[in-house]
């Protein structure tokens, strides 16, 4: 009898070969179907409820993919590319998933017929290289001639990014705000220097941009209401000190045997606190912000001396205040001098909807700004924040790489044409494969039409004809159910989004094609025979 060779742990699930590859492609297809309808200005949104019952409404590919909680190992790749697109350029997350899925769909028949995946991968790589060359050749560089022109360009890119979102009706309003916010940053354009605060209620147009810092009023004790709520020319002490009585007592165990001793300890605690407060007062600060709690005694002390105070300020807000107003965050009250205080022209506590906000404006180092969003339901505000995040990322990208291409499927149609033309010049299997990828690129305009309820076949035929005649910027016109020159229509997108999306999609497709075996270890703790009686263990030394 042949001895049985045991290679893998019992319960390990393996599948391999062509069927495995096909099944991976099919899994990716179902993911693509989940996000397909969200693409473009007429795309629909998804409502996703998680296991805790929290509902999220979103149009953003990356957010949807994250929330889908996908377990299929190959299909997870698509989630990863959506995430990487989100992190790298911020927009184009639906497009990247759609493109990867469509590339796979188009090459699937070839794989089924037995073309070796390596040949397919080679063709995809070649097609990608051609696309990159073409995008770089076509991208229009907008020379930084004047500030106004740059602004106009940035606003257009922001508007295109937002036109596919829930807030598309307010895109003109928001694109100005977004551009203002980004232009207020310093050279490196750090994203975390734009704060976004949400206040439910009111209308979207009541949203505002504060050049400087704003944050919600923190928890406060009695006595707070007596302190003034607005200052001109204020000096801000930024602290990381607890100004509460009980603090010292909690840190040590003290044994006393008579009341006098105990009284001494209590007095000492008060003394320590009063010393700290006096030092802060002496420094000349009239606004005190602390990351740690400010207790009732301290609040009263400050209020008596016309000092505004706020404890438990979130760290990021404290840091942004420091960036905007100068000064330093102090961890001890001993060396608070006037040179470590931040400065700003105006401080006020203002009512925004149902919330009170602390606003710092006219900051000397203002390299930061805060968007206060207003709007109806919480889900709606969250989606607005995500949409603005996309737009902010796009504006940042455009400032760094100031070349743009036309959106609305125009660039994809042109790339498709280039690939098709190229495929006619070569022989062999590659010809069919490159033509298949060319067809795959058409998914973007086709889906834009489908989502808007247009006749996709008709519009795609018109587009193919226009592009063959040299109309390289023609794309889908969402308003007229027709085609138009999207460069003139100002549907502009930074070329970096398209470059990144195509590269990531091609990489993902290649990766999925290069996998021909999945080996799944049994879950720890699970009995190996969880399937119930099927296929008894191999080589367990059972009696024959
Ligand atoms: P993504 O997550 O990929 O950014 P979107 O839902 O934002 O997906 O849709 C982006 C697509 O919509 C891009 O292909 C873009 O060119 C297209 N698009 C945006 N605005 C317009 C417009 N006004 N007309 C036509 N197409 C547009
Ligand atoms: Mg978008």
């Amino acid at each position: 009898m042949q001895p049985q060779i045991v290679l893998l742990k019992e319960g390990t699930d393996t599948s391999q070969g062509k069927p495995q590859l096909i099944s991976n492609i099919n899994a990716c297809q179902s993911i693509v179907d989940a996000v397909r309808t969200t693409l473009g200005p007429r795309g629909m949104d998804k409502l996703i409820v998680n296991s805790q019952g929290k509902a999220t409404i979103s149009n953003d590919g990356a957010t949807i993919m994250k929330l889908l909680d996908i377990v299929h190992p190959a299909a997870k790749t698509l989630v990863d590319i959506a995430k990487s697109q989100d992190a790298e350029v911020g927009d184009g997350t639906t497009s990247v998933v759609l493109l990867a899925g469509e590339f796979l769909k188009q090459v699937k028949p070839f794989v089924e017929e037995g073309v070796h995946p390596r040949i397919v991968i080679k063709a995809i790589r070649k097609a990608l290289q051609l696309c990159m060359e073409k995008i770089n050749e076509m991208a229009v560089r907008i020379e930084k001639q004047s500030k106004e022109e740059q602004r106009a360009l940035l606003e257009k890119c922001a508007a295109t990014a937002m036109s596919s979102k829930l807030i598309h009706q307010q895109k003109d309003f928001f694109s100005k705000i977004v551009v203002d916010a980004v232009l207020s940053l310093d050279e490196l354009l750090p994203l975390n220097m734009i704060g976004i605060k949400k206040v439910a209620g009111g209308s979207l147009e009541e949203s505002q941009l504060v050049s400087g810092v704003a944050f919600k009023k923190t928890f406060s004790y009695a006595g707070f209401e007596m302190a003034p709520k607005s200052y001109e020319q204020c000096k801000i002490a930024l602290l990381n000190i607890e100004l509460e009585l009980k603090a010292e007592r909690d840190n040590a165990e003290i044994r006393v045997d008579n009341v006098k001793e105990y009284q001494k300890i209590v007095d000492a605690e008060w003394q320590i606190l009063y010393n700290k407060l006096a030092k802060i007062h002496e420094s000349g600060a009239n606004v005190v912000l602390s990351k740690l709690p400010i207790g009732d005694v301290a609040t009263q002390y400050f209020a008596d001396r016309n000092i505004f105070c706020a404890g438990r300020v979130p760290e990021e807000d404290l840091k942004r205040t420091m960036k905007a107003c100068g000064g330093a965050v102090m961890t001890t009250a001993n060396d608070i001098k006037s040179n470590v205080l931040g400065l700003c022209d105006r401080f006020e506590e203002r009512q925004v909807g149902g919330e009170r906000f602390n606003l710092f404006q006219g900051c000397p180092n203002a390299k930061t700004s805060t968007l206060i969003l207003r709007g109806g339901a919480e889900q709606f505000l969250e989606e607005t924040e995500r949409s603005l995040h996309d737009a902010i990322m796009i504006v940042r990208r455009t400032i760094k790489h100031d070349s743009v291409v036309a959106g609305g499927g125009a660039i994809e149609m042109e790339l498709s044409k280039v690939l098709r033309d190229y495929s006619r010049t070569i022989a062999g299997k590659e010809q069919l494969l490159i033509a298949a990828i060319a067809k795959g690129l058409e998914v973007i305009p086709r889906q834009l039409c489908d989502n808007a309820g247009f006749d996709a076949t008709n519009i795609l035929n018109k587009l193919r004809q226009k592009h063959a005649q040299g109309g390289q910027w023609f794309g889908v016109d969402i308003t007229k159910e027709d085609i138009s020159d999207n460069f003139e229509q100002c549907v502009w997108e930074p070329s970096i989004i398209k470059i990144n999306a195509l590269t990531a999609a091609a990489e993902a497709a290649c990766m999925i094609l290069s996998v021909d075996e999945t080996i799944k270890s049994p879950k720890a703790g699970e009995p190996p025979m969880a399937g119930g009686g099927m296929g008894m263990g191999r080589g367990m030394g059972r009696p024959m």
Side-chain angles (χ1 to χ4, degrees):
M1 201 169 70
Q2 287 276 317
Q4 210 171 7
I5 301 169
V6 182
L7 207 58
L8 299 170
K9 221 163 62 183
E10 208 163 309
T12 309
D13 180 18
T14 78
S15 46
Q16 54 187 205
K18 208 162 73 182
Q20 167 64 25
L21 194 48
I22 301 291
S23 113
N24 281 346
I25 294 179
N26 290 341
C28 293
Q29 231 68 74
S30 14
I31 304 224
V32 173
D33 286 339
V35 293
R36 189 172 282 269
T37 55
T38 65
L39 185 83
R42 297 286 184 273
M44 308 296 272
D45 297 342
K46 304 277 168 192
L47 196 160
I48 301 160
V49 184
N50 71 1
S51 52
Q52 274 104 47
K54 185 179 185 302
T56 310
I57 297 180
S58 184
N59 175 283
D60 182 49
T63 310
I64 298 170
M65 301 287 277
K66 247 181 262 167
L67 292 173
L68 279 181
D69 216 2
I70 288 159
V71 292
H72 192 284
K76 267 192 181 151
T77 324
L78 293 189
V79 183
D80 291 342
I81 55 169
K83 278 191 197 159
S84 80
Q85 176 84 5
D86 196 38
E88 183 65 24
V89 280
D91 194 22
T93 47
T94 315
S95 314
V96 69
V97 176
L98 227 61
L99 283 170
E102 194 67 19
F103 289 160
L104 287 172
K105 183 175 165 191
Q106 294 297 337
V107 298
K108 186 171 132 189
F110 296 96
V111 176
E112 277 171 338
E113 275 170 20
V115 177
H116 195 277
R118 278 289 148 209
I119 296 176
V120 182
I121 290 174
K122 205 170 139 228
I124 295 183
R125 293 250 155 85
K126 178 74 194 164
L128 177 68
Q129 185 207 337
L130 289 171
C131 289
M132 292 301 111
E133 281 165 15
K134 185 69 189 171
I135 294 185
N136 286 328
E137 180 196 317
M138 281 172 72
V140 178
R141 279 192 75 83
I142 307 290
E143 303 298 330
K144 277 191 193 127
Q145 282 153 338
S146 70
K147 279 262 173 279
E148 286 84 59
E149 264 167 315
Q150 195 199 11
R151 257 202 87 94
L153 160 76
L154 295 177
E155 277 178 18
K156 272 173 205 144
C157 289
T160 307
M162 278 187 283
S163 66
S164 52
K165 308 290 181 195
L166 215 54
I167 51 169
H168 62 95
Q169 250 147 20
Q170 285 82 14
K171 68 180 178 199
D172 294 332
F173 174 74
F174 279 115
S175 51
K176 282 200 183 65
I177 290 193
V178 164
V179 173
D180 278 337
V182 177
L183 287 181
S184 72
L185 300 177
D186 62 14
E187 305 270 275
L188 287 173
L189 306 175
L191 190 61
N192 58 355
M193 284 296 129
I194 300 180
I196 298 186
K197 305 281 161 186
K198 294 165 282 188
V199 187
S203 74
L204 274 178
E205 278 89 359
E206 284 168 45
S207 303
Q208 50 177 305
L209 181 75
V210 179
S211 73
V213 189
F215 51 86
K216 259 182 211 159
K217 173 184 164 296
T218 53
F219 176 81
S220 61
Y221 286 97
F224 172 80
E225 290 308 325
M226 282 159 59
K229 296 297 178 317
S230 77
Y231 293 97
E232 299 282 319
Q233 304 302 336
C234 70
K235 293 190 179 143
I236 308 157
L238 305 161
L239 307 176
N240 190 0
I241 307 174
E242 192 161 354
L243 296 172
E244 229 171 356
L245 259 185
K246 65 175 177 39
E248 333 302 339
R249 189 168 51 206
D250 285 348
N251 291 336
E253 184 184 308
I254 305 161
R255 298 200 178 163
V256 289
D257 48 17
N258 61 54
V259 177
K260 254 198 198 139
E261 296 269 303
Y262 182 67
Q263 185 62 44
K264 268 193 200 157
I265 292 169
V266 173
D267 288 345
E269 279 186 347
W270 281 76
Q271 204 47 52
I272 292 172
L273 179 66
Y274 274 121
N275 284 347
K276 282 188 199 169
L277 294 177
K279 292 236 169 71
I280 296 169
H281 176 51
E282 275 163 29
S283 72
N286 45 14
V287 174
V288 177
L289 303 179
S290 178
K291 206 177 109 186
L292 297 174
I294 293 183
D296 47 356
V297 179
T299 306
Q300 192 66 51
Y301 180 96
F302 288 134
D304 290 343
R305 285 157 187 79
N306 280 337
I307 297 175
F308 174 91
C309 69
R312 297 195 180 129
V313 177
E315 185 167 4
E316 49 162 37
D317 290 327
L318 201 67
K319 277 211 179 116
R320 289 203 302 121
T321 316
M322 185 177 87
K323 281 267 161 60
C325 304
V329 177
M330 302 302 287
T331 48
T332 148
N334 286 329
D335 346 289
I336 300 187
K337 307 264 157 50
S338 58
N339 58 348
V340 298
L341 299 180
L343 300 171
C344 81
D345 289 346
R346 247 167 305 112
F347 162 77
E348 61 177 326
E349 190 176 293
R350 195 194 292 168
Q351 189 81 19
V352 181
E355 308 270 2
R356 295 181 77 94
F357 264 82
N358 295 334
L359 306 177
F360 297 85
Q361 281 168 307
C363 313
N365 306 353
K367 292 280 192 282
T368 170
S369 50
T370 311
L371 266 164
I372 303 180
L373 297 182
R374 306 296 318 276
E378 192 178 331
Q379 282 98 339
F380 184 73
L381 276 175
E382 278 172 13
E383 174 67 358
T384 308
E385 180 181 354
R386 281 190 290 270
S387 312
L388 288 180
H389 169 260
D390 279 16
I392 289 172
M393 289 293 279
I394 286 300
V395 174
R396 287 176 66 216
R397 277 291 154 197
T398 321
I399 293 179
K400 284 183 185 166
H401 309 253
D402 54 352
S403 72
V404 293
V405 293
I411 181 81
E412 285 86 1
M413 281 312 283
E414 184 63 20
L415 293 176
S416 171
K417 185 202 119 192
V418 169
L419 289 186
R420 213 175 299 113
D421 288 350
Y422 171 78
S423 75
R424 296 207 180 100
T425 64
I426 51 173
K429 293 183 199 121
E430 233 189 351
Q431 180 185 30
L432 293 174
L433 287 167
I434 298 234
I437 294 159
K439 182 128 188 283
L441 282 167
E442 289 179 355
V443 68
I444 302 283
R446 177 169 319 116
Q447 198 62 46
L448 286 173
C449 293
D450 280 349
N451 289 352
F454 301 165
D455 181 349
T457 316
N458 191 2
I459 291 195
L460 250 69
N461 284 339
K462 282 192 198 169
L463 280 176
R464 281 192 206 109
Q465 186 202 18
K466 263 286 181 245
H467 280 261
Q469 291 167 352
Q472 57 173 359
W473 293 129
F474 272 79
V476 182
D477 186 333
I478 287 296
T479 44
K480 294 206 295 274
E481 185 168 357
D482 200 0
I483 62 172
S484 66
D485 188 329
N486 275 352
F487 206 83
E488 271 167 27
Q489 298 277 325
C490 294
V491 183
W492 294 356
E493 293 182 285
S495 54
I496 186 89
I497 314 187
K498 296 294 171 194
I499 291 179
N500 214 64
L502 281 168
T503 318
E507 284 303 322
C510 291
M511 201 166 99
I512 287 168
L513 286 169
S514 64
V515 171
D516 73 341
E517 177 157 5
T518 313
I519 303 152
K520 212 169 164 186
S521 300
K523 266 200 196 126
E526 211 171 73
M529 290 305 148
M534 288 284 290
M536 299 306 269
R538 296 173 284 178
M540 274 282 282
R542 295 176 172 279
M544 288 294 172

